Amino acid sequence: MDNFLGGIGKIFIIIGIIFIILGAFFVVGGRIPWLGKLPGDIYIKKEGVQIYIPITTSIIISLILTLLFRLLR
């Protein structure tokens, strides 16, 4: 039973760290001028329609999170 509760405790700590990182990203994300405007991000604007697909930004964020999780593991 102690091992089970210890495992749940670790999961809650990891989830908490993820929420802290996401919160910091939302607070600081608007202040980073290049975030979301990288080459490879697709932005289409036509009459009454705007489509934004952040391909490059998503790849960079994915790489950063992958490295972070690998280091924490």
Side-chain angles (χ1 to χ4, degrees):
M1 188 70 169
D2 279 337
N3 192 17
F4 176 72
L5 292 176
I8 291 177
K10 288 179 184 179
I11 290 171
F12 278 130
I13 290 172
I14 292 171
I15 290 171
I17 291 171
I18 290 170
F19 277 124
I20 289 171
I21 292 170
L22 284 173
F25 178 73
F26 284 122
V27 169
V28 178
R31 296 182 190 156
I32 302 173
W34 53 267
L35 189 64
K37 298 176 184 168
L38 295 172
D41 291 345
I42 300 171
Y43 182 71
I44 301 170
K45 185 176 182 180
K46 293 186 178 183
E47 290 182 28
V49 177
Q50 291 183 0
I51 301 172
Y52 176 66
I53 306 170
I55 296 172
T56 307
T57 302
S58 298
I59 291 171
I60 289 175
I61 291 172
S62 175
L63 288 172
I64 291 170
L65 289 175
T66 300
L67 291 173
L68 180 69
F69 287 132
R70 292 275 177 148
L71 289 174
L72 293 176
R73 196 171 201 212

